Amino acid sequence: MQEEAANSDLSCMIRFYSEKPCQVEQLDRILLSGIYNVRKGKTQLHKWAERLVILCGTCLIVSSVKDSHTGKMHILPLVGGKVEEMKRRQYTLAFTSAGAQAQTYHVSFETLAECQRWHRQATTVVSMRLSMVDLSCYSLEEVPEHLFYSQDIIYLNLRHNFLRSCGAGSLDSLCRFSQLKSLNLSHNRLGEFPLSLCEISTLTELNVSCNGLHCLPTQIGKLLNLQSFWLDGNFLTSLPEELESLQQLSCLGLSFNNFRELPAIFEKLTFLDKLALAGNLLETLDLAVLNRMSHIKSVDLRLNNLKRAADDTPEGNKSVTYMDLRDNHLTDLDLSSLGSLEQLHCERNKLKELTLSGFSLRALYANNNCLSSVNVYPVPGQLTCLELVHNQLQCVPDWACEAKKLEVLDMSYNLLVELPSRILSSLSLRKLMVGHNNLQSLPPLVEHIPLEVLDLQHNLLTELPEMLFFKALNLRYLNVSANSLESLPSACTGEESLSMLQLLYLTNNNLTDQCIPVLAGHTSLRILHLANNNLQAFPASKLSKLEHLEELNLSGNKLKTIPTTVSNCKLLHTLIAHSNEISIFPEILHLPRIQIVDLSCNELTEILIPEALPATLQELDLTGNTNLVLEHQTLDIFSHITTLKIDAKPSLTTDSALTSTFWSHGIAEMAGQRNKLCVSTLAMGSFAEGVEAVYGMFDGDKNEELPRLLQCTMADVLLEEVQQSDTMFMSNTFLVSHRKLGMAGQKLGSSAVLCYIRHDLSDPASNFSLTVANVGTCQAILCRSGKPLLLSKVFSLEQCSEDAKRIKEQKAIITEDNKVNGVTCCTRMLGCTYLHPWILPKPHVSSIPLTVQDELLLLGNKALWEHLSYTEAVSAVRHLHDPLAAAKKLCTLAQSYGCQDNVGAMVVCLNISEDSCTCEMHGITLPGPGGFSSTTAKPATPSSSSGIASEFGSELSASEVSSEVGSTASDEHNTVGLDGSLLPRQERRCSLHPLPPSSIFQRQPSSATFSSNQSDNGLDSDDEQPVEGVMTNGSKVEVEVDIHCCKGKGLEFEPPALEYSASAPGPEDDSGLVLIIQRQNSVNSGTAQGGIKEKCELQKSPSTCCLYGKKLSNGSIVPLEESLNLIEVATEAPKKKTGYFAAPSQMEPEDQFVVPPDLEEEVKEQMKRHQENGADQEQKEESAVVLPEEFDTAL
């Protein structure tokens, strides 16, 4: 390198990019690298040799393979050089440097793709200039000294660092650059404007946004060549008068500061054409001041506190052509004096009346207001786009009907009762959106119209104009969903059809089979939605005519079959036909482009499949077909499908029997037009140790990683937090989950909603309570007495004014598409930590007791609630008994209403009533483990494959994704190998009839030290196998022990052989204690471990209680696994109501409770006496010695 550095230009470049020689693997600017055959020079005097070639920064580095790490390398600067393909040798490039003494290296590649990749990247490098340096986001605290080796730097980017404005290594040294023109110092937390910058007279562009500046120095007037000056995101309240000397200044950004009025300096800066003051504190729009700024053409005053517009002068303004007044507090607006105004944005105000000049008006956007009238005079002859969505207009304005160039009219979500014939017959209108109104009919069409898009959804239409498809020959898109249509107009005369319709949405009408022949006339259809109608059959001959069909939705009808002619639709890629009566699997697996097939909630019995499935098939949903049995051979053929959804085998556990009495759930997720699904759900109908449930939904917007991580870990975090806090557990769950996202949550974020149903143990007389927490745009709705009850809060800039105000005060940059720093519209999310403190993980938490009037719990992501109102969602699924069909219906409705994004819905059917009581005090005997009544208890050899551990069955947790998630939350599962019939059950009470307070138990976690390696993002490394059954937080293993205390019921049984047992009797008393520790992974619990002998065989007391196991699930992503459980069973209630013991992560033979030899016989006698006198609980017993507090144990 020293030899090559003899060239002064090359030496400068080496110091600039490297500062000092370093090993190849340490180069962070490596673009491409590999070992190839290389020849030096343009002639063929040199031979081809194998060399290590690296494209690093702006250089091509060539070195021998064995000397690549010793610094012996040849460096070829490529800036200003050229890269050419050699014609004489295949897949070979010639790299040539610039200058009179240019050198050339020929590199031969093995494949064409590799050659093209190097050529493309090297061409980019060749076109670069050394004058551009980007050191943004490097966490720099000082300006690098080697930066000054190059005096030719013109563009320097130092944003998002930690640079200082004064001192050694500060920005004072930047004045050494004699040719610097563009400097970006945004997001450096400077606090004050560096005076040294005023000495760089060559600057033409300067960006000091988001630096906490409160004022500008008077020396700023020295920057006479400055043309663009960005000061956004600071705390400026005024500007110095010296700024007027910058007569070349054409762009001045002052958004998100603290200005309360328009700066007067703008009048003297005549080169400025844009007034950028978004996100300030202006309360009045002074049009008189604006009139004096005749050079200003564009005004951006969005996100201020504007309440009125004042115009004290009769003179009009002829310069302003663009005005943005979004997100203010205006109630009325009169801009008739702006005669040259071409485009106006005034969305999300409180406008009731709007008056404008129509001389030059081309576009008007006034959505989300309270407008009852819009006055424009004269008639806007140049108007092309008019959007008045979400207002209170009862008719289309007359001036809009007379606009001769109007192409787009959107008046959705208003109060329109009729549509003028002049609008529908307009010769310029191409897009008409009038959905969500009260239209009962449409005017007849007389002339041909150029209409291409027509949206009439959510009206009261019973029929369409008879000549619609004859007169609107250019119609491509028609949506008439959610009306009362019973028939459709004809599309052809005779055999010929001129229809060009491609997208037709007819969901949620009253259409019957009679409309099918009419549909066959639209031979160009690509997307057809006929969901939720009254179709009973689809004639095969009609479907065969729709050869261009790509997406077909027939769900929610009464179809028996899908016609075999569907095989003629060679372009079909999506078939959705859930919630029908289909019994025969359609012939769709022969289609070459089929990707998604949804036949859930039908009556399928068998599937006839070809030997090979199409490679394009990505998703097949067969859930809800109760009579469908898939053979192993069929499942093997389906194994390559990315997403295969089939019903799980019915559970025989008592747990499922109990929880299904109170609630059941259904989930639906659809990717829409996106190529990946970024929505995940969490559904655990059996959670923790009682009759509890957890439901959640996570929406990552454009990333799928975070929703899946939250799906796998959040239930375990909740379980741990519930045990540690009774009040803040939900907030802590979100905060801990946010922290555990680690590196994955740095730049990615996710909305989340979590619902937890439980019985409050502190108040036995209470009913179930529902606790809901959410961040972002996922929401939860409770259907109570048929009406929606909102339980969550939407955290977005548009719908959460408190957070929008907070973010604005913290000087975040809100872009014109209403996103924080252009990233997300959410104000609270899990993840996105690099946007702190603007984006917070703090959730909104609400809790409500469930009553008999509560019918449904609905969870959905942003896309669902954007297209379905709460009332419509509740009414659409309230009558459905199958929650899966209900969830499917919600997603189908959203897609038919125009949703093209990921959509997810979860429906939880609630049955909290006296009729659903399952407690024993009402005379209903609960089924024992395995689904049988436990009226008798017989000895049995439990099997490890039975999965029966106690009175309730459980889904095993598989939260191996997070090493920190779990702790006490995830190390207790059901004890495999314990047959529940061997243990008499505690009397089970429902939440409506709880047990007396005396039988309530408490839990305490205890811990033993355990270490665990973790990856960068706080999650377990893939190559680390955790100790079986032990979930750790990196420092501890916490094993929670339940001590269940209850009165004896006189039940007799034969105890199983115990692996470890101990008892310490004392003076005769009415209570005793037996502690049992058993390995869950034992195949036969009756077989003792090798080398271990029981000290004594103890008979259990008649007064026993049931075993409770935690019910955990990860949301069906990670496969289930066995784990080690430590379960403590109290057969007699001790005087202490709680207790705990510490256990090591691995059981050792010596880890047992030892009974002193002198008390052994007394213990046996005591237990025998308890068993003989178990039938008479009122008989007086002798007092027993209190259990000693000291145990001879390794713990």
Side-chain angles (χ1 to χ4, degrees), residues 705-988:
E705 292 84 358
L706 255 61
R708 291 185 178 180
L709 285 174
L710 294 171
Q711 177 192 45
C712 296
T713 61
M714 208 162 189
D716 292 342
V717 178
L718 172 63
L719 188 56
E720 181 178 357
E721 295 301 328
V722 167
Q723 298 169 16
Q724 296 181 1
S725 173
D726 291 336
T727 56
M728 301 294 295
F729 67 91
M730 206 56 130
S731 295
N732 293 340
T733 298
F734 274 67
L735 297 178
V736 172
S737 298
H738 170 78
R739 176 174 59 85
K740 291 183 183 296
L741 291 175
M743 294 298 295
Q746 287 290 327
K747 291 188 176 181
L748 302 179
S750 175
S751 298
V753 59
L754 193 65
C755 303
Y756 179 33
I757 304 176
R758 68 167 179 170
H759 175 60
D760 191 358
L761 296 178
S762 63
D763 185 7
S766 68
N767 205 333
F768 287 108
S769 65
L770 172 62
T771 303
V772 179
N774 82 294
V775 292
T777 53
C778 291
Q779 299 180 64
I781 307 297
L782 181 66
C783 173
R784 173 169 289 181
S785 300
K787 297 181 180 180
L789 179 62
L790 183 61
L791 302 177
S792 53
K793 187 175 182 179
V794 182
F795 289 106
S796 67
L797 289 171
E798 296 181 3
Q799 302 189 46
C800 185
S801 57
E802 299 86 354
D803 274 10
K805 181 180 179 181
R806 171 182 61 82
I807 291 175
K808 198 173 84 170
E809 291 175 350
Q810 293 172 342
K811 303 307 175 184
I813 302 300
I814 301 176
T815 53
E816 292 186 359
D817 55 353
N818 236 22
K819 292 184 177 181
V820 180
N821 278 23
V823 176
T824 176
C825 64
C826 297
T827 59
R828 301 191 191 184
M829 298 177 71
L830 297 181
C832 278
T833 54
Y834 81 104
L835 290 177
H836 180 83
W838 307 313
I839 305 299
L840 301 176
K842 182 181 179 181
H844 169 268
V845 182
S846 62
S847 184
I848 185 173
L850 295 179
T851 66
V852 295
Q853 288 81 23
D854 297 327
E855 306 170 21
L856 298 171
L857 176 63
L858 307 182
L859 279 70
N861 68 331
K862 175 184 177 182
L864 180 71
W865 301 119
E866 278 185 345
H867 294 86
L868 264 78
S869 65
Y870 306 140
T871 302
E872 182 180 5
V874 167
S875 60
V877 300
R878 205 185 150 200
H879 65 283
L880 298 178
H881 300 290
D882 184 0
L884 175 60
K888 292 279 187 181
K889 183 176 182 179
L890 290 179
C891 289
T892 297
L893 290 177
Q895 287 190 330
S896 296
Y897 296 162
C899 177
Q900 297 182 354
D901 207 344
N902 291 171
V903 58
M906 182 186 298
V907 177
V908 182
C909 295
L910 301 175
N911 188 20
I912 312 298
S913 64
E914 290 283 350
D915 296 336
S916 62
C917 173
T918 57
C919 64
E920 293 176 343
M921 68 175 292
H922 280 235
I924 302 177
T925 303
L926 293 177
F932 301 99
S933 177
S934 56
T935 55
T936 60
K938 297 181 181 180
T941 302
S943 170
S944 63
S945 62
S946 65
I948 302 173
S950 61
E951 182 178 352
F952 293 98
S954 166
E955 292 179 287
L956 297 179
S957 173
S959 2
E960 61 184 359
V961 180
S962 173
S963 62
E964 294 188 357
V965 177
S967 197
T968 57
S970 55
D971 46 12
E972 292 190 25
H973 306 302
N974 287 342
T975 305
V976 178
L978 263 180
D979 193 330
S981 61
L982 299 176
L983 301 176
R985 296 176 296 100
Q986 179 181 354
E987 180 181 357
R988 168 60 61 186

Side-chain angles (χ1 to χ4, degrees), residues 1130-1141:
T1131 56
E1132 296 288 343
K1135 292 184 179 180
K1136 294 184 178 181
K1137 293 185 179 181
T1138 62
Y1140 67 93
F1141 69 95

Side-chain angles (χ1 to χ4, degrees), residues 643-663:
T643 305
L644 174 63
K645 299 179 181 179
I646 58 177
D647 288 329
K649 294 182 179 180
S651 174
L652 298 178
T653 60
T654 306
D655 181 50
S656 61
L658 275 177
T659 56
S660 62
T661 304
F662 294 108
W663 46 71

Side-chain angles (χ1 to χ4, degrees), residues 165-451:
S165 58
C166 59
S170 65
L171 299 177
D172 293 341
S173 55
L174 293 182
C175 59
R176 294 162 58 181
F177 292 110
S178 58
Q179 301 182 31
L180 189 61
K181 293 184 178 180
S182 176
L183 178 61
N184 190 343
L185 293 173
S186 61
H187 297 275
N188 269 280
R189 306 178 184 177
L190 297 176
E192 58 182 13
F193 191 90
L195 295 178
S196 58
L197 299 183
C198 301
E199 305 299 329
I200 310 177
S201 58
T202 57
L203 280 178
T204 59
E205 296 180 4
L206 178 59
N207 190 339
V208 288
S209 301
C210 300
N211 276 294
L213 305 180
H214 289 79
C215 62
L216 294 180
T218 56
Q219 293 87 337
I220 196 69
K222 296 181 180 180
L223 300 177
L224 300 178
N225 295 318
L226 202 60
Q227 299 176 10
S228 299
F229 195 13
W230 287 281
L231 293 162
D232 306 310
N234 287 291
F235 298 92
L236 301 176
T237 57
S238 61
L239 297 175
E241 295 181 359
E242 288 76 7
L243 202 64
E244 66 179 275
S245 60
L246 308 182
Q247 289 301 315
Q248 297 187 36
L249 195 62
S250 60
C251 180
L252 179 59
L254 297 174
S255 298
F256 301 98
N257 281 278
N258 295 335
F259 290 97
R260 295 185 177 275
E261 58 184 13
L262 297 179
I265 196 69
F266 275 93
E267 300 181 20
K268 301 178 181 180
L269 298 174
T270 57
F271 275 82
L272 284 180
D273 60 353
K274 182 177 181 179
L275 183 65
L277 283 169
N280 280 274
L281 305 177
L282 278 70
E283 296 184 356
T284 302
L285 174 58
D286 195 338
L287 297 178
V289 175
L290 199 60
N291 291 342
R292 294 196 295 267
M293 304 177 186
S294 57
H295 50 280
I296 297 296
K297 297 181 179 180
S298 176
V299 179
D300 184 3
L301 296 177
R302 57 191 175 87
L303 291 163
N304 275 273
N305 298 327
L306 295 176
K307 298 179 181 178
R308 68 186 187 94
D311 188 3
D312 299 332
T313 61
E315 300 179 1
N317 187 303
K318 299 181 180 180
S319 60
V320 176
T321 60
Y322 175 89
M323 181 167 287
D324 193 342
L325 301 175
R326 283 176 285 186
D327 299 285
N328 280 283
H329 308 291
L330 297 168
T331 55
D332 61 90
L333 183 62
D334 186 353
L335 298 179
S336 57
S337 61
L338 303 182
S340 300
L341 187 63
E342 297 179 1
Q343 185 172 336
L344 172 65
H345 283 274
C346 56
E347 299 99 310
R348 293 181 295 276
N349 278 276
K350 301 177 182 179
L351 292 175
K352 296 182 179 180
E353 187 173 353
L354 178 62
T355 304
L356 300 174
S357 170
F359 284 109
S360 305
L361 191 63
R362 295 178 181 271
L364 172 60
Y365 305 93
N367 304 330
N368 298 93
N369 281 284
C370 305
L371 290 171
S372 57
S373 65
V374 180
N375 303 313
V376 178
Y377 183 83
V379 174
Q382 304 297 323
L383 184 67
T384 59
C385 181
L386 176 61
E387 293 188 7
L388 300 171
V389 183
H390 277 289
N391 281 285
Q392 299 178 6
L393 297 170
Q394 297 183 359
C395 61
V396 180
D398 292 336
W399 54 265
C401 301
E402 299 176 6
K404 301 300 182 183
K405 295 185 178 181
L406 185 62
E407 297 181 0
V408 178
L409 175 61
D410 192 348
M411 295 189 65
S412 305
Y413 295 94
N414 276 279
L415 305 176
L416 302 180
V417 294
E418 62 178 358
L419 199 63
S421 58
R422 291 180 296 173
I423 281 292
L424 199 58
S425 303
S426 172
L427 299 180
S428 62
L429 194 63
R430 299 183 180 275
K431 184 176 180 180
L432 177 60
M433 314 284 286
V434 287
H436 296 271
N437 281 282
N438 299 321
L439 300 177
Q440 298 183 3
S441 62
L442 297 178
L445 291 175
V446 180
E447 300 178 354
H448 291 280
I449 57 176
L451 197 64

Side-chain angles (χ1 to χ4, degrees), residues 559-562 580-586 602-607 625:
L559 298 176
K560 305 290 185 182
T561 60
I562 300 294
N580 279 282
E581 300 173 3
I582 300 174
S583 58
I584 302 176
F585 194 83
N602 278 284
E603 299 177 1
L604 295 175
T605 56
E606 61 179 355
I607 299 179
N625 291 277

Side-chain angles (χ1 to χ4, degrees), residues 143-158:
V143 179
E145 183 63 27
H146 64 270
L147 193 64
F148 301 100
Y149 293 158
S150 174
Q151 298 298 321
D152 300 328
I153 294 180
I154 298 178
Y155 303 95
L156 179 59
N157 187 355
L158 295 172

